[in-house]
Amino acid sequence: MAMLPTSASHSGGCTAASAGPEALAAALEASADGVALLDEQGRCRFVNPAACALLGMASTDLLGQPAPFVGPEDEASGTARPRRVVRWRAPGSLREQELEYQRRALPEVGGSRLTVVTFRDVTDVRLQQRRFTAFATAAANIAYAGSLRGTLDTICAQLVETAGLAGAQIFLVDASGNRMRVHGAAPVDRWPPDFTLRLEEVRQR
């Protein structure tokens, strides 16, 4: 990890100088959120361990390189920009991440203006949000298909299409909790005839 620049940064009315460099360094080391300090060209001057883990790169590969957290010009010092999301894929990785980040300009020191960026991985959270949104939208827009099973099959088909799923099923359990049945599925030809029986056996175990 790079050495933390000595310029004072404000957080909750406490400056880095008053907190002490050792305490500040320890806090950044322990932070679960990624923290990066950028120069005026958007290049990394400092990254904490969480930032390296989230970006899938060593600090030696990140320092001096442009950060992915581009955005509009920062406002006055100490003013945080709204949170934004950027897509990121680490070199050599097939997994694309969605990183939520926030920028904050630091006071100008020695003619240099730095920006601190905090960020976290929200890939799974946003995926779940999209799936729930797709379900709600499909349920609201699909007209009743003449039968409950037909309607729920159509909803599952919409979910598969809009949320990028391999398949979808809707299960209903009776009031006693002893009987479970599939009442909607897509694609309809993906599941073996005894799939529900197999699933019920697993559930009972």
Side-chain angles (χ1 to χ4, degrees), residues 27-96:
L28 292 174
E29 287 275 350
S31 174
D33 286 348
V35 180
L37 196 62
L38 312 182
D39 61 19
E40 293 176 292
Q41 286 72 45
R43 297 172 300 199
C44 293
R45 289 277 302 277
F46 163 86
V47 287
N48 72 339
C52 297
L54 289 169
L55 296 174
M57 299 175 65
S59 60
T60 51
D61 296 323
L62 289 169
L63 296 180
Q65 299 301 315
F69 312 109
V70 296
E73 290 296 324
D74 294 302
E75 298 174 356
S77 298
T79 301
R81 301 289 302 182
R83 290 190 176 276
R84 292 182 168 83
V85 175
V86 64
R87 293 183 180 274
W88 168 259
R89 180 176 294 155
S93 174
L94 298 178
R95 179 176 182 265
E96 186 178 65

Side-chain angles (χ1 to χ4, degrees), residues 123-162:
T123 309
D124 293 337
V125 172
R126 287 171 63 87
L127 176 60
Q128 289 299 326
Q129 289 174 342
R130 285 195 292 271
R131 288 178 176 176
F132 283 125
T133 299
F135 182 85
T137 301
N141 292 338
I142 294 174
Y144 183 58
S147 69
L148 177 61
R149 177 61 187 265
T151 301
L152 296 182
D153 280 345
T154 306
I155 290 177
C156 287
Q158 287 290 319
L159 284 173
V160 169
E161 181 179 351
T162 59

Side-chain angles (χ1 to χ4, degrees), residues 71-77 79-81 102-106 113-117:
E73 290 296 324
D74 294 302
E75 298 174 356
S77 298
T79 301
R81 301 289 302 182
Q102 188 173 39
R103 298 163 58 100
R104 184 185 295 269
L106 300 180
R113 187 182 182 190
L114 301 177
T115 299
V116 64
V117 179

